[in-house]
Amino acid sequence: MKRNDNLERIPTLPARGIVVFPGMILHFDVGRDKSIDALKAATSGDKRVFIVTQKEGGAFEPTSDDLYKVGVIAEVRQIVKTPDGNTRVLVEGITRAKLIEITETNPYYVCAVAPSPVKNDAAAESTETAALSRLLKDSFRGYNELAPKMPRELYESIIGEEDLQKLFDLIIFNVYIKLQDKQMLLELNSLKRRVQILIGVMKNEISLLQLELQIAEEVREAVEQNQREFYIREQVRALNRQLGFDSDPAEEAEEYIAVIESLGFEPDVEDKLCREAMRILHLPSSSSELAAIKTYLDTVLELPWKIETKDKIDLVKAQKQLDKDHYGLKKVKERVVELLAVRALNPDIKAQIICLVGPPGVGKTSVGKSIAKAIGRNYVRVSLGGVRDEAEIRGHRKTYLASMPGRIVNALKQAKSMNPVILLDEIDKMGSDYKGDPASAMLEVLDPEQNNAFIDHYLEIPVDLSKVLFITTANTTDTIPAPLLDRMEVIELGSYTREEKFNIGKKHLLPKQLKEHGEKATNVKVRDDALYSLIDFYTREAGVRKLERKIAALCRKSAKKLIDGETKVVITAADLKEYLGVKKYTPEMIAKENEVGTVNGLAWTSVGGVIMPLEVVVTEGTGKIEITGSLGDVMTESAKIAVTLARVLAAKYGIDPDFHKTKDIHIHAPEGATPKDGPSAGVTMTTALISALSGIPVKKDVAMTGEITLHGKVLPIGGLREKSMAAYKAGIKVVLVPAENVPDIEEIDDIVKEKLTFIPAENIRTVLETALAVDVKKLTPFAKVNTVTEVVKV
């Protein structure tokens, strides 16, 4: 090869993954054609080749930037072909050299290099050299203790070497060091600096080897532990088979853990349940605690943790479903459809809690079932009537014998989904005692802000109730605690009217009972007049349960006749006495003529509205007032207000203002065994008193309702729909109502509005002018003027 200005142009071999040092004898495989051609060119010349390491092994055609700037001029000792077709070369490093430039790339690389021997700046006899040599040997000893063992002869030759340069070469040739670290050592010019860096690199390598050994030891111990546990479990299985035990605790625990992990619990919940499952391994098969743990895990895993039904909200279909299942209940249906509309727009809305309040038998429970059908959710009913123990809601702690989860969790298990419709029936009938207050436990259940992590005492893990649609029912809100009532939206269901009962009976109850009794509409027919008679004379209720029982009785009687040979049974009103006996209730009828001191009042009861006539009799006496008829405190106070107001109005209606001194007054509400209370009889009492004291009759076809004040103002009342239906059934023509109740007239049945005339009254003057059977304006006032009447103008 030619030399020019101390530069040599030598065939070059770019090496991948190796660094060659001067004095190192090394064999390796060569794969690239250019590298093989460079080796051939070297062997045909002075056998020298420049070996320089690539920065990245992936470069197939490396450029100057892809190569390190320092390599080694080496002598090619041997080139052989391996059986698998590769070219293997044996080289010996001669001297270090710097890469100046790549002069040729075809057919092989040729580089201009400048030899650059390492400066030996370590004096042979110096103390520093001895210290470096000792430190390097110590590092090598530490490395040899951890690394795979090298031949004893080689190890002793390295430890016995006194020359620092040779010691460095021997160690660098026989230890594993990262490629970048080797290249860095090759590029250093100072022997002392090389040795110092090599000591640091070997210390790092020793730390890595120690960590690898520690990890390997931990893995080995874990494997041995698993093998030991497997061996012990197999022995236990064999013993169980020999003893005749069917179940294997290890298999049971593994099955439980597999199911727990598949359900995707929160990490803390999963850890708790897995720990419970592992306890099975350490308890004898006869232990009662083992049975309790299995029951607990079975209960937890049987809950539908990841199961939800998809809402199918179709407002038209929902409206049809509600109309099909229930007649009337317009307000309730509107509210349910509104609820579904909101859920259609925002499926993630927190569930509103609806409380259906109304008398028995009006369809509260069945409304909840209809809602579930309308949205395609599973439905479950939870009866709360008579519940007095908080554990019935929250569950019993599993430490107790025969403990179990509460009714809410059981409802989820029964519903088989995490977003069912749960109907909490009779929520107003929960009690409380020394065991706790279940109504307080319900506060968390029915609070959308809290029930996403409801904790059952038995489960001891959070249960998400936020997706459950809760519907509660109650007969009255009076017994529901205020904080609980505040969490619910109350929808009131009033008593069914006569017409509603008739339609329910004809369209729902009669077909249902015919089907249950194996009869058909073609061979058993109940006339409309018979249904009306059933409602009027054989039942008196807010709902339709008794009506259904009476229809069932008719079906039973009809079944007997069909079996006896009749082909068709037609039931009319005249036949009811034969089927059901004499009438149980007499109709409420108004008087045949106008009477003095008797007024038709209107009252609301749990079974609907009723006519409540009030009677007043005035006798000579000393001013005593008698009030009879089982009247409550509020109604008694209304009577006292009426007496005072009558004194104020006395002179205007020709009454001696001193009647309270010379007359005894007796106020009576018939049906004395029935308790009565409320303020809405105030105008009725006042009218009856004025009539009795003045001798003016009251019109027989007029009824009234309203609270009265001392100044004669008429205040609003409730239950106007039911009261007006009672007036209609009794044959009343005119109904006096408080002026503030006029908007409520819109909710009254159309047939009732057609037959009745509603007169709004703001004060008692309107009531008396309408009810008294004379022209009040033509009455002659009493001669002695009462000074109070000049102050109070009615």
Side-chain angles (χ1 to χ4, degrees):
M1 296 296 171
K2 298 180 179 180
R3 299 174 184 271
N4 185 20
D5 298 330
N6 203 30
L7 294 180
E8 297 187 37
R9 290 170 176 78
I10 304 175
T12 300
L13 178 65
R16 292 181 290 186
I18 60 171
V19 176
V20 181
F21 282 80
M24 178 184 290
I25 299 175
L26 182 69
H27 62 81
F28 54 88
D29 290 342
V30 180
R32 287 180 287 197
D33 293 339
K34 287 187 176 182
S35 298
I36 294 172
D37 292 342
L39 291 173
K40 290 178 179 180
T43 54
S44 63
D46 59 3
K47 297 186 177 182
R48 293 195 309 163
V49 64
F50 179 61
I51 301 176
V52 61
T53 304
Q54 290 183 202
K55 295 178 181 178
E56 297 292 338
F60 192 78
E61 295 281 347
T63 64
S64 178
D65 294 335
D66 296 325
L67 302 175
Y68 286 107
K69 299 306 178 185
V70 177
V72 170
I73 298 173
E75 181 182 351
V76 179
R77 292 281 190 90
Q78 185 181 20
I79 301 177
V80 296
K81 281 283 187 180
T82 60
D84 55 3
N86 292 329
T87 300
R88 181 165 294 175
V89 62
L90 178 67
V91 298
E92 178 181 1
I94 299 174
T95 185
R96 195 180 69 152
K98 290 184 179 181
L99 172 64
I100 304 302
E101 64 175 334
I102 298 175
T103 58
E104 298 179 28
T105 57
N106 285 309
Y108 52 83
Y109 286 96
V110 176
C111 293
V113 300
S116 177
V118 177
K119 177 183 177 183
N120 189 348
D121 54 355
E125 302 298 331
S126 70
T127 304
E128 183 181 7
T129 301
L132 288 173
S133 177
R134 183 178 296 179
L135 286 172
L136 187 57
K137 289 180 180 180
D138 289 342
S139 298
F140 179 71
R141 288 191 188 95
Y143 176 86
N144 189 63
E145 290 176 358
L146 299 173
K149 301 297 182 182
M150 63 179 60
R152 184 70 183 174
E153 295 79 8
L154 177 60
Y155 171 75
E156 289 179 351
S157 67
I158 293 174
I159 294 300
E161 181 61 54
E162 297 298 332
D163 184 85
L164 187 59
Q165 177 64 57
K166 292 181 180 180
L167 178 63
F168 173 85
D169 291 341
L170 287 171
I171 290 176
I172 200 70
F173 297 166
N174 293 284
V175 298
Y176 173 79
I177 299 175
K178 288 191 300 183
L179 182 72
Q180 292 80 359
D181 292 338
K182 280 190 176 183
Q183 182 66 33
M184 178 183 63
L185 290 170
L186 178 64
E187 292 178 0
L188 291 174
N189 293 321
S190 168
L191 176 61
K192 289 196 295 184
R193 185 61 181 156
R194 276 185 164 192
V195 172
Q196 290 170 353
I197 296 298
L198 179 59
I199 292 171
V201 169
M202 289 190 67
K203 285 184 178 180
N204 289 336
E205 191 66 25
I206 289 170
S207 298
L208 288 175
L209 289 172
Q210 288 175 336
L211 182 58
E212 287 178 2
L213 288 174
Q214 180 182 348
I215 294 172
E217 180 66 19
E218 291 176 356
V219 171
R220 184 184 64 79
E221 291 178 356
V223 170
E224 289 180 354
Q225 178 68 18
N226 290 337
Q227 291 176 338
R228 183 164 56 251
E229 290 178 356
F230 175 76
Y231 178 71
I232 294 172
R233 282 197 295 270
E234 290 299 319
Q235 286 183 319
V236 171
R237 289 191 181 99
L239 290 172
N240 284 331
R241 286 194 294 269
Q242 292 294 325
L243 294 173
F245 295 148
D246 295 332
S247 61
D248 178 16
E251 288 181 356
E252 286 184 324
E254 290 173 0
E255 290 175 0
Y256 279 125
I257 291 173
V259 176
I260 291 167
E261 291 175 347
S262 68
L263 289 174
F265 290 108
E266 293 293 327
D268 54 339
V269 174
E270 183 175 311
D271 180 62
K272 170 182 170 56
L273 295 177
C274 288
R275 279 189 279 109
E276 290 288 338
M278 291 303 296
R279 291 178 62 193
I280 295 176
L281 298 173
H282 310 294
L283 293 172
S285 59
S286 59
S287 171
S288 61
E289 188 176 358
L290 176 62
I293 291 174
K294 288 183 178 180
T295 302
Y296 169 73
L297 291 173
D298 289 339
T299 302
V300 171
L301 300 180
E302 284 174 359
L303 290 176
W305 291 103
K306 298 298 179 181
I307 301 174
E308 293 182 8
T309 56
K310 187 176 181 180
D311 289 351
K312 302 173 183 177
I313 298 177
D314 183 336
L315 298 186
V316 176
K317 182 180 177 182
Q319 185 68 54
K320 288 181 179 179
Q321 182 71 49
L322 292 170
D323 291 338
K324 177 184 176 183
D325 294 342
H326 301 87
Y327 182 85
L329 303 180
K330 183 179 178 182
K331 269 190 173 181
V332 178
K333 292 177 182 177
E334 285 181 357
R335 182 62 186 88
V336 170
V337 172
E338 290 169 2
L339 171 68
L340 300 183
V342 172
R343 297 191 73 83
L345 294 175
N346 182 14
D348 298 327
I349 188 173
K350 293 182 178 179
Q352 302 103 321
I353 315 299
I354 296 174
C355 181
L356 304 175
V357 179
V362 295
K364 300 184 297 296
T365 303
S366 57
V367 166
K369 189 178 293 186
S370 296
I371 293 174
K373 285 182 184 177
I375 62 177
R377 289 195 183 189
N378 297 339
Y379 168 82
V380 63
R381 173 180 168 272
V382 178
S383 178
L384 299 178
V387 172
R388 307 180 66 84
D389 188 355
E390 178 199 4
E392 292 283 344
I393 307 299
R394 287 188 176 275
H396 304 78
R397 299 193 183 277
K398 66 177 186 289
T399 52
Y400 299 127
L401 185 64
S403 57
M404 63 183 68
R407 297 195 181 196
I408 303 300
V409 171
N410 277 331
L412 290 177
K413 179 180 175 182
Q414 184 180 349
K416 298 180 181 178
S417 68
M418 293 300 287
N419 64 336
V421 174
I422 295 183
L423 181 79
L424 302 174
D425 210 5
E426 309 292 356
I427 196 170
D428 58 323
K429 296 182 178 57
M430 289 191 298
S432 62
D433 57 15
Y434 66 93
K435 295 181 181 178
D437 182 7
S440 298
M442 291 299 297
L443 293 176
E444 181 183 1
V445 174
L446 298 181
D447 191 341
E449 300 296 332
Q450 301 179 30
N451 62 7
N452 61 334
F454 172 71
I455 300 292
D456 184 276
H457 288 163
Y458 181 80
L459 299 184
E460 296 179 342
I461 58 176
V463 179
D464 186 2
L465 300 179
S466 62
K467 298 178 181 178
V468 176
L469 178 58
F470 286 104
I471 300 174
T472 65
T473 70
N475 295 128
T476 177
T477 59
D478 295 341
T479 56
I480 302 177
L484 184 58
L485 188 62
D486 183 59
R487 284 163 167 76
M488 302 183 289
E489 179 181 350
V490 176
I491 300 178
E492 294 188 359
L493 284 75
S495 306
Y496 286 126
T497 64
R498 182 173 184 257
E499 291 300 317
E500 287 176 336
K501 289 180 181 180
F502 170 77
N503 282 284
I504 292 170
K506 185 175 182 178
K507 297 177 180 178
H508 297 277
L509 302 183
L510 183 57
K512 175 184 174 184
Q513 290 302 321
L514 288 175
K515 182 179 179 181
E516 289 184 0
H517 288 81
E519 299 165 345
K520 297 180 180 179
T522 55
N523 53 20
V524 175
K525 187 171 182 62
V526 180
R527 300 281 188 194
D528 291 354
D529 61 343
L531 279 176
Y532 277 120
S533 294
L534 279 177
I535 296 167
D536 294 336
F537 306 123
Y538 290 90
T539 64
R540 182 164 292 176
E541 58 178 339
V544 290
R545 285 181 183 156
K546 289 182 181 178
L547 178 60
E548 184 175 10
R549 286 196 288 269
K550 294 300 180 183
I551 292 174
L554 295 179
C555 291
R556 290 194 300 271
K557 301 288 186 182
S558 302
K560 183 175 180 297
K561 288 192 174 187
L562 292 173
I563 295 298
D564 289 341
E566 294 188 25
T567 58
K568 186 174 183 180
V569 178
V570 179
I571 303 173
T572 64
D575 299 324
L576 291 183
K577 185 175 182 180
E578 175 189 349
Y579 285 89
L580 302 176
V582 298
K583 297 177 180 178
K584 302 296 188 294
Y585 302 98
T586 57
E588 293 178 333
M589 299 301 294
I590 60 175
K592 295 181 180 180
E593 57 184 19
N594 300 340
E595 295 181 2
V596 175
T598 301
V599 182
N600 294 316
L602 296 173
W604 180 93
T605 70
S606 61
V607 297
V610 295
I611 293 288
M612 186 179 70
L614 276 175
E615 302 174 343
V616 175
V617 174
V618 178
T619 59
E620 297 295 329
T622 58
K624 294 179 181 178
I625 298 175
E626 290 287 341
I627 302 173
T628 57
S630 298
L631 307 187
D633 292 340
V634 176
M635 202 166 180
T636 301
E637 291 177 356
S638 294
K640 294 177 180 178
I641 293 172
V643 172
T644 302
L645 185 57
R647 291 176 60 189
V648 174
L649 300 172
K652 182 176 181 180
Y653 293 93
I655 303 169
D656 184 359
D658 294 329
F659 71 85
H660 64 285
K661 298 178 183 178
T662 60
K663 306 291 184 183
D664 289 343
I665 299 174
H666 190 154
I667 302 173
H668 176 68
E671 297 187 15
T674 305
K676 310 168 190 70
D677 203 1
S680 64
V683 294
T684 311
M685 291 181 178
T686 304
T687 304
L689 278 168
I690 295 296
S691 173
L693 289 168
S694 66
I696 302 172
V698 178
K699 295 176 184 177
K700 62 180 180 181
D701 57 355
V702 174
M704 60 189 67
T705 181
E707 181 180 352
I708 198 69
T709 70
L710 285 172
H711 286 234
K713 293 180 181 179
V714 181
L715 301 183
I717 45 81
L720 182 60
R721 180 171 175 266
E722 290 81 4
K723 292 177 180 179
S724 60
M725 176 56 71
Y728 162 70
K729 289 193 295 183
I732 297 293
K733 302 297 182 185
V734 177
V735 177
L736 286 154
V737 299
E740 294 184 32
N741 284 111
V742 170
D744 298 332
I745 296 176
E746 294 297 324
E747 300 178 7
I748 296 172
D749 291 4
D750 293 337
I751 189 172
V752 176
K753 288 190 286 187
E754 289 176 9
K755 298 295 183 180
L756 296 181
T757 300
F758 291 93
I759 297 180
E762 292 186 358
N763 52 54
I764 194 64
R765 181 178 59 192
T766 305
V767 175
L768 295 175
E769 289 176 354
T770 304
L772 295 180
V774 296
D775 188 350
V776 174
K777 297 178 181 178
K778 296 181 179 179
L779 289 177
T780 303
F782 190 77
K784 182 181 178 181
V785 180
N786 190 340
T787 56
V788 180
T789 59
E790 297 175 359
V791 179
V792 180
K793 296 182 179 179
V794 181

